[in-house]
Amino acid sequence: MSSPQLEVPSDWYRFAYPPEMAKLPWAQKTGVEVDRLLTMLKPQGSERILDLACGTGRHTLELRRRGFPVVGVELLESNVKVAQDAAEEQSLDVEFIQADLRELELDEEFDIVLSLNDGAIGYFESEAENMRTFEVISRALRSSGRHLLQIANVLHAERHMPVKGWIDGPGALELIDHHWNNMTRCLEGTTATIAVGEVFQGYEPIPFRKRLYSVDELREIYASVGMALTETFRGNGKAGRPRNTQYEVFIEATKG
């Protein structure tokens, strides 16, 4: 259950992922993560890709380096600026759009839509608002286009939460305090970043609340927007049903 002291603003996602998050351990694995998604999707190489909630654009830029035409969408202007500067420095032709993804008006323009590291799935203020994300994804895809979703595994949350700990990396230490709220079906808690090599001045935990979905729930949601859930993957990129030992799960869905 969630901590009784935890207060999560309804718009927590507008402040939770500043550019400094690029220093965190999980942000140092971009190449490996792109290798994995290409193993799962097996694209031909010319597919036009939409990277939703792309942050500072690390996956977007890596995909462009590998030859894919790709567009990144990100809510925070500061993250878009970092991504655009990186694209310019690397002479990469990439379009970044600063927008709330729910307001996108993209009509059958993409072969693949990516929602990596949650991709803001389940972040919004209500069930109806979270559904708008899937509607945008379906509308943006061409016929037979595919969506790849990377999301925390509800089976793991139910079995192993609450948990407190840390993840260390070369640039920062991430402190985590995660709880599972079975009533709201949300993963809740806080994260905090402590930069390595800088004078320690304390830290401010950032609250979050993420609606998680079972495979069966996602199957129904995709069906409601004209798509079909076609495959589930484990963290190693191999197809397989989720297990409660996996922290996250990958879902592939195809537009009819």
Side-chain angles (χ1 to χ4, degrees):
M1 296 294 292
S2 61
S3 167
Q5 291 78 35
L6 182 64
E7 294 186 8
V8 182
S10 60
D11 61 347
W12 65 269
Y13 52 86
R14 296 185 180 276
F15 314 100
Y17 301 105
E20 292 75 20
M21 297 289 282
K23 297 179 181 179
L24 291 176
W26 46 260
Q28 311 303 315
K29 303 176 181 179
T30 304
V32 172
E33 290 172 347
V34 171
D35 286 341
R36 178 173 56 190
L37 77 86
L38 295 179
T39 296
M40 289 186 282
L41 293 178
K42 297 180 174 58
Q44 299 300 305
S46 60
E47 290 87 348
R48 191 164 189 249
I49 298 175
L50 177 64
D51 187 9
L52 289 177
C54 68
T56 54
R58 60 191 185 94
H59 297 113
T60 318
L61 295 168
E62 179 64 18
L63 285 163
R64 187 69 190 106
R65 283 191 287 269
R66 300 191 189 200
F68 291 93
V70 58
V71 175
V73 175
E74 167 59 26
L75 176 63
L76 299 186
E77 185 176 357
S78 55
N79 281 337
V80 173
K81 179 65 164 57
V82 170
Q84 290 173 332
D85 288 347
E88 184 175 352
E89 290 171 4
Q90 299 172 44
S91 299
L92 294 173
D93 180 18
V94 183
E95 179 183 3
F96 287 100
I97 300 172
Q98 190 269 313
D100 184 319
L101 63 85
R102 292 170 290 179
E103 305 303 327
L104 292 174
E105 297 183 0
L106 303 170
D107 188 15
E108 299 187 354
E109 298 181 30
F110 295 91
D111 303 293
I112 294 172
V113 174
L114 301 175
S115 299
L116 301 176
N117 300 114
D118 300 332
I121 297 290
Y123 282 20
F124 299 122
E125 295 85 351
S126 67
E127 291 288 283
E129 288 301 296
N130 285 326
M131 274 299 301
R132 289 178 62 187
T133 307
F134 292 93
E135 293 165 359
V136 167
I137 290 166
S138 180
R139 189 167 59 248
L141 283 167
R142 296 169 178 148
S143 179
S144 300
R146 295 178 292 165
H147 178 226
L148 182 67
L149 166 61
Q150 176 186 7
I151 193 171
N153 181 10
V154 66
L155 299 178
H156 182 275
E158 290 173 332
R159 179 70 178 270
H160 297 284
M161 300 296 171
V163 63
K164 292 185 178 182
W166 68 89
I167 306 172
D168 59 347
L173 179 72
E174 182 180 21
L175 305 180
I176 59 173
D177 184 359
H178 292 179
H179 307 267
W180 173 243
N181 188 324
N182 196 50
M183 292 183 64
T184 63
R185 309 298 292 170
C186 288
L187 180 63
E188 302 174 343
T190 61
T191 62
T193 304
I194 301 175
V196 174
E198 299 181 11
V199 177
F200 180 68
Q201 298 179 335
Y203 61 89
E204 186 68 29
I206 299 173
F208 69 87
R209 177 179 291 116
K210 306 175 183 180
R211 170 69 158 93
L212 302 189
Y213 301 94
S214 68
V215 171
D216 289 338
E217 285 178 303
L218 286 169
R219 183 174 289 107
E220 292 182 3
I221 290 171
Y222 281 122
S224 74
V225 296
M227 299 180 65
L229 192 155
T230 49
E231 191 61 88
T232 59
F233 300 92
R234 302 196 178 108
N236 59 8
K238 295 182 179 180
R241 293 279 297 184
R243 300 169 177 167
N244 62 26
T245 53
Q246 297 170 240
Y247 175 74
E248 60 187 4
V249 63
F250 295 82
I251 305 291
E252 179 187 2
T254 303
K255 184 175 179 179

